[in-house]
């Protein structure tokens, strides 16, 4: 497919020029400053802990580095080293607040050196580094990340654990000064007491006791101060779609929604959005672990995509977030790479079925046909309707069932999940339900009536729909998903649907080619690894489930800046999709379900996965 890219009509620049502007630019000064802060921090920690290090040749280096204040200031050296280590990552990411903290810390280190050691060279180096930071202050302009109270708890756990480990080293590096032979339990107790400013059971000869006490107290004070700061600083909530944003996105989808089967998922309300200058295109995203993660193609007019992409990249640069796109089409990948200089990696294939061509006849559909007939003989019936045609009572039962039938505490789904059922603006969504009257003789209906399973589709333009959620009662017969997908495909022409997007098959081409005759050893090894990972991530089972319906395969891509970013992006995607849960434990987050944003799973809902395995 050839796509003409003229740029946005308002405020656009030539495509070639934009590619140069948006291409990855090495952040030389921030990277060097961050590495220098790490190096200096480690040396200061070593100088504050190890007596032999302070008497070695390396100590001659630390004597002229900012933060070290002489043999009687081990605690201050240790504290400064830890602070520099904490600041190093922020300096590498060009964070303005990390720059301010470093600028404030360096003069303190310089004054301390002059007062305690009268070190003119150390003062000069501190000033030199300070001048370097001030001179390149324009490099450190990144805005803060969205804040969370969770960071205070993470800081307490990580820094507390680090302080405990450093404390054990501090207590143990003076063997010649220790009185007696304290056990490891005594040393741990001494560290725990010292972090809170109390004297422990381990005794030392001479002034070593004061050095150890001051060092442990400094570590405990640092942990307390940083945790309190993170806990009580003003909240900076993560961005959400506003009503105006959602209205504009719906207008764009009404005109251009048929272009991408993932377009409707841009309406998730836990995403933020940037629009092109003309408002004719938009990119929705979520920030996860410092990764600015977009999904699918930009929304709107293809000719206006470059303007929205430029705004996206500007926002990523302003916050020093790592830009990434997951699940874009081939056309979207071409535009993203052309306009930004980013790279693209094929992730897998989306299964798309043309409703007019679907049939249960033929040898290839024998297994699905037999399963569907068996379930129908067991007394199940199906109904396929638009959400707007459901009664209020039935819609409420479906919502409760979808929530209660979820197999895990954490919802899964981001790039291909909407996160809600029956919203007033989602009347065009399609629900297929399976029903069976209870035959236990009690005559009492269950909490969900005769509802046994459901699948939920979102609109894909005016004549398509995309699978969003699959849920079933655990007591229902295996094969509910096959039954409902077949029912939806057979009913699609009656409700004006021509094509249906099913699940996304990760690394489908590798799985398919790797099992064929003549596959090379590398391809077979890669397929074997994917099959092994399928024990946890359902890679192979989802591919085989999709293949049952004889779909056509549409490739989907990931767009990223550098190969070194892939592990970080992969972790962020797993967080966004719900495979890695860093939320508060469930006992501490029992909020009202009516106030939660529940991201429903498209192809990774746990109940759907169980059904796939059962089939």
């Amino acid at each position: 497919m050839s796509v003409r890219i003229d740029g946005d009509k308002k405020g656009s620049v030539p495509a070639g020029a934009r590619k140069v502007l948006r291409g990855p630019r090495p952040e030389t000064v921030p990277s060097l400053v961050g590495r220098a802060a790490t190096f200096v921090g480690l040396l200061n920690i070593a100088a504050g802990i190890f007596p032999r290090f302070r008497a070695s040749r390396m100590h001659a280096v630390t004597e002229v580095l900012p933060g070290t204040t002489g043999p009687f200031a081990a605690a201050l050296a240790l504290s400064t080293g830890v602070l520099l280590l904490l600041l190093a990552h922020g300096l590498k990411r060009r964070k303005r607040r990390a720059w301010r903290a470093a600028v404030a810390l360096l003069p303190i280190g310089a004054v301390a050196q002059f007062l305690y050691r009268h070190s003119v060279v150390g003062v000069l180096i501190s000033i030199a580094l300070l001048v370097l930071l001030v001179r390149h202050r324009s490099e450190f302009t990144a805005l803060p990340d969205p804040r969370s109270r969770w960071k205070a708890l993470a800081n307490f756990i990580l820094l507390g654990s680090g302080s405990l480990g450093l404390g054990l080293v501090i207590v143990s590096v003076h063997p010649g000064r220790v009185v007696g032979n304290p056990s490891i339990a005594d040393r741990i107790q001494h560290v725990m007491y010292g972090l809170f400013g109390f004297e422990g059971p381990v005794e030392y000869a001479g002034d070593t006791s004061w050095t150890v006490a001051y060092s442990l107290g400094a570590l405990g004070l640092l942990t307390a101060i940083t945790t309190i700061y993170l806990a009580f600083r003003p909240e900076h909530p993560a961005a959400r779609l506003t009503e105006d944003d959602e209205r504009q996105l719906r207008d764009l989808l009404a005109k251009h929604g048929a272009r991408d089967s993932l377009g409707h998922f841009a309406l998730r309300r836990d995403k933020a959005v940037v629009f092109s200058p003309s408002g004719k295109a938009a990119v929705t995203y979520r920030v996860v672990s410092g990764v600015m993660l977009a999904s699918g193609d930009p929304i709107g007019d293809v000719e206006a995509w470059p303007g929205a992409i430029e705004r996206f990249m500007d926002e990523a640069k302003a916050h020093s977030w790592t830009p990434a796109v997951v699940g874009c089409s081939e056309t979207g990948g071409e535009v993203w790479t052309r306009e930004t200089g980013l790279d693209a990696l094929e992730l897998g294939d989306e299964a798309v079925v043309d409703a007019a061509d679907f049939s249960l006849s033929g040898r290839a559909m024998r297994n699905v046909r037999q399963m569907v007939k068996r379930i129908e003989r067991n007394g199940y019936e199906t109904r396929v309707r638009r959400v707007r045609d459901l009664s209020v009572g039935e819609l409420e039962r479906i919502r409760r069932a979808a929530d209660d039938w979820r197999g895990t505490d954490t919802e899964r789904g981001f790039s291909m999940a909407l996160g809600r059922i029956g919203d007033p603006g989602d009347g065009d969504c399609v629900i297929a339900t399976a029903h069976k009257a209870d035959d236990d003789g009690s005559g009492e209906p269950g909490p969900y009536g005769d509802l046994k399973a459901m699948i939920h589709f979102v609109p894909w333009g005016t004549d398509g729909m995309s699978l969003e959620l699959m849920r079933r009662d655990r007591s229902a017969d295996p094969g509910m998903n096959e039954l409902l997908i077949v029912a939806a495909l057979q009913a699609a022409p009656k409700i004006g649907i021509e094509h249906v997007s099913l699940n996304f098959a990760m690394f489908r081409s590798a799985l398919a080619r790797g099992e064929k005759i003549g596959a090379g050893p590398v391809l077979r090894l890669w397929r074997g690894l994917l099959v092994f990972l399928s024990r946890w991530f359902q890679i192979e089972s989802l591919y085989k489930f999709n293949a049952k319906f004889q779909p056509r395969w549409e490739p989907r891509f990931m767009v990223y800046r550098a190969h070194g970013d892939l592990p970080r992006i992969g972790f962020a995607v797993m967080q966004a999709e719900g495979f890695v849960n860093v939320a508060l434990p469930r006992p501490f987050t029992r909020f009202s379900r009516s106030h939660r944003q529940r991201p429903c799973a498209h192809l990774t809902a746990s109940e759907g996965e169980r059904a796939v395995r059962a089939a």
Side-chain angles (χ1 to χ4, degrees):
M1 177 183 295
S2 62
V3 180
R4 184 169 60 94
I5 305 297
D6 295 332
D8 210 322
K9 299 297 186 294
K10 297 183 181 179
S12 64
V13 297
R18 183 179 292 112
K19 183 174 181 178
V20 175
L21 291 174
R22 298 270 65 84
R25 183 170 59 91
E27 307 292 348
T28 306
V29 173
S31 298
L32 290 176
V33 170
R35 286 194 291 269
T38 301
F39 177 70
V40 171
L42 291 174
L43 287 179
N44 286 334
I45 291 173
I49 294 178
F50 299 102
R52 294 182 179 179
F53 184 83
R54 292 198 298 269
S56 67
R57 292 184 179 181
M58 286 299 295
H59 180 53
V61 178
T62 64
E63 284 290 317
V64 295
L65 288 173
T68 304
T69 56
F72 299 103
L76 187 57
L78 186 62
S79 301
T80 307
V82 172
L83 287 173
L84 286 172
L85 286 180
L86 294 176
L87 293 174
H89 182 65
L91 292 172
K92 289 180 180 179
R93 294 186 61 200
R94 305 185 296 110
K95 292 296 183 180
R96 187 68 174 178
R97 291 189 174 181
W99 176 87
R100 291 173 180 170
V103 168
L105 181 64
L106 286 172
I108 294 175
V111 171
Q113 290 184 63
F114 182 77
L115 292 178
Y116 283 93
R117 290 194 298 109
H118 309 290
S119 173
V120 177
V121 176
V123 171
L124 292 177
I125 290 184
S126 298
I127 294 175
L129 290 177
L130 180 62
V131 169
L132 181 65
L133 283 172
V134 173
R135 180 179 179 183
H136 294 280
R137 60 185 177 275
S138 60
E139 295 281 349
F140 300 89
T141 57
L143 301 175
D145 292 337
R147 299 172 189 166
S148 169
R149 302 298 184 215
W150 247 109
K151 292 186 177 180
L153 180 59
N155 178 84
F156 177 77
I157 294 174
L158 296 177
L159 193 54
S161 301
S163 297
L164 180 61
L166 282 176
L168 286 174
V169 175
I170 293 171
V171 171
S172 305
V173 294
H174 306 278
R177 298 292 184 121
V178 177
V179 177
N181 187 24
S183 64
I184 185 64
D186 292 334
R187 297 173 190 268
I188 294 176
Q189 184 179 358
H190 191 88
V191 173
M192 295 299 296
Y193 279 20
L195 292 176
F196 288 95
F198 300 103
E199 187 67 25
V202 181
E203 297 183 3
Y204 298 89
D207 294 335
T208 303
S209 178
W210 291 102
T211 302
V212 172
Y214 286 151
S215 298
L216 293 177
L219 287 175
L221 187 62
L222 274 179
T223 302
I225 290 176
T226 54
T227 300
I228 291 173
Y229 167 74
L230 292 173
F232 291 98
R233 64 179 179 171
E235 189 75 10
H236 185 117
R240 293 288 188 270
L241 284 184
T242 66
E243 292 183 2
D244 289 340
D245 292 337
E246 187 171 337
R247 177 183 54 78
Q248 293 183 59
L249 287 173
R250 288 186 183 276
D251 290 341
L252 292 177
L253 287 171
K255 298 177 181 178
H256 307 281
R259 184 175 295 280
D260 185 15
S261 64
L262 307 188
H264 199 84
F265 299 121
L267 297 176
R268 283 183 65 106
R269 290 172 184 149
D270 58 356
K271 290 183 178 181
V273 61
V274 289
F275 290 93
S276 65
S278 67
K280 295 181 179 180
V283 175
T284 58
Y285 67 91
R286 187 199 295 175
V287 179
V288 183
S289 297
V291 177
M292 190 176 182
L293 193 62
S295 59
D297 291 345
I299 307 300
D301 188 353
V302 177
E303 293 188 1
W305 283 7
I309 291 173
E310 183 178 6
R311 289 284 180 87
F312 177 88
M313 296 299 292
D314 288 341
E315 190 76 6
K317 181 179 179 181
H319 292 83
S320 193
W321 292 329
T322 300
V325 184
V326 60
C328 65
S329 67
E330 187 170 5
T331 300
E334 290 177 355
V335 178
W336 273 100
T337 55
R338 181 187 309 162
E339 298 300 316
T340 64
L342 302 179
D343 289 328
L345 174 69
E346 184 174 345
L347 283 180
D349 296 271
E350 175 187 13
V352 179
V353 179
D354 294 320
D357 299 332
F358 178 76
S359 174
L360 283 177
S361 61
R363 183 178 180 84
M365 299 297 296
R366 182 180 60 181
N367 291 335
V368 176
R369 181 173 62 252
Q370 292 175 347
M371 178 175 292
V372 169
K373 290 183 177 180
R374 175 181 58 80
I375 296 174
E376 290 175 341
R377 285 195 300 268
N378 289 341
Y380 288 89
E381 65 174 23
T382 59
R383 303 169 192 168
V384 181
R385 293 157 291 173
R386 298 277 186 182
V387 169
R388 61 172 174 263
D389 297 328
L390 297 174
S391 66
V392 175
E394 185 174 9
L395 182 57
E396 181 59 29
R397 287 196 299 272
I398 289 174
R399 284 171 172 165
R400 288 190 287 108
D403 184 59
D404 294 342
W405 291 344
R406 189 180 68 246
T408 60
D409 290 341
T410 303
E411 285 276 12
R412 291 181 177 178
F414 165 69
S415 58
M416 299 179 182
L418 184 61
R420 59 184 183 267
I421 297 178
D423 191 83
D426 298 327
D428 287 338
C429 292
V430 175
I431 286 185
T433 54
H435 304 263
K436 181 182 180 183
D438 293 328
D439 55 359
D440 56 2
S442 63
E444 294 292 332
Y448 318 112
D450 60 355
L451 181 65
K452 297 301 180 182
M454 73 186 75
I455 59 175
H456 183 235
F457 296 87
V458 300
W460 173 11
T462 58
D463 59 355
M465 60 185 185
S466 183
L467 180 60
E468 191 260 344
L469 172 143
M470 299 186 294
R471 294 284 160 82
R472 71 179 183 93
D473 190 338
R474 295 186 181 183
S475 64
D477 292 354
M480 287 291 104
N481 290 326
E482 287 88 340
L483 173 69
L484 291 177
I485 289 177
V486 168
L489 290 171
Q490 291 177 338
K494 300 177 183 178
I495 58 177
I497 299 299
E498 296 181 3
H499 40 265
V500 179
S501 170
L502 299 179
N503 294 329
F504 173 74
M506 185 78 73
F507 304 118
R508 182 204 66 86
S509 59
L511 290 169
R513 293 198 301 266
E515 63 184 356
K516 290 183 177 180
I517 297 176
V522 175
L523 188 57
R524 289 185 179 275
L525 180 63
W526 175 226
R527 182 183 181 278
L529 177 61
L530 293 176
V531 172
F532 175 75
L533 294 176
S534 295
R535 298 180 181 181
W536 297 277
F537 300 110
Q538 307 302 319
I539 299 173
E540 184 184 30
S541 58
L542 286 174
Y543 156 58
K544 290 184 175 180
F545 178 79
N546 293 335
K548 291 180 179 180
F549 304 98
Q550 302 298 306
R552 71 174 190 267
W553 299 101
E554 299 289 343
R556 290 281 174 174
F557 298 84
M558 172 183 287
V559 178
Y560 60 98
R561 181 171 56 188
H563 294 296
D565 293 335
L566 287 176
R568 185 179 183 184
I569 295 172
F571 182 73
V573 171
M574 293 179 69
Q575 284 183 266
E577 296 288 355
F579 288 105
V580 177
N581 181 21
V582 293
L584 286 170
R586 192 169 186 174
F588 301 100
T589 56
R590 293 190 177 276
F591 301 112
S592 172
R593 289 179 178 175
S594 62
H595 296 291
R596 283 187 183 177
Q597 168 70 25
R598 292 194 172 275
C600 303
H602 170 55
L603 55 125
T604 55
S606 55
E607 288 300 327
E609 292 167 358
R610 287 194 182 94
V612 171
R613 290 196 296 270

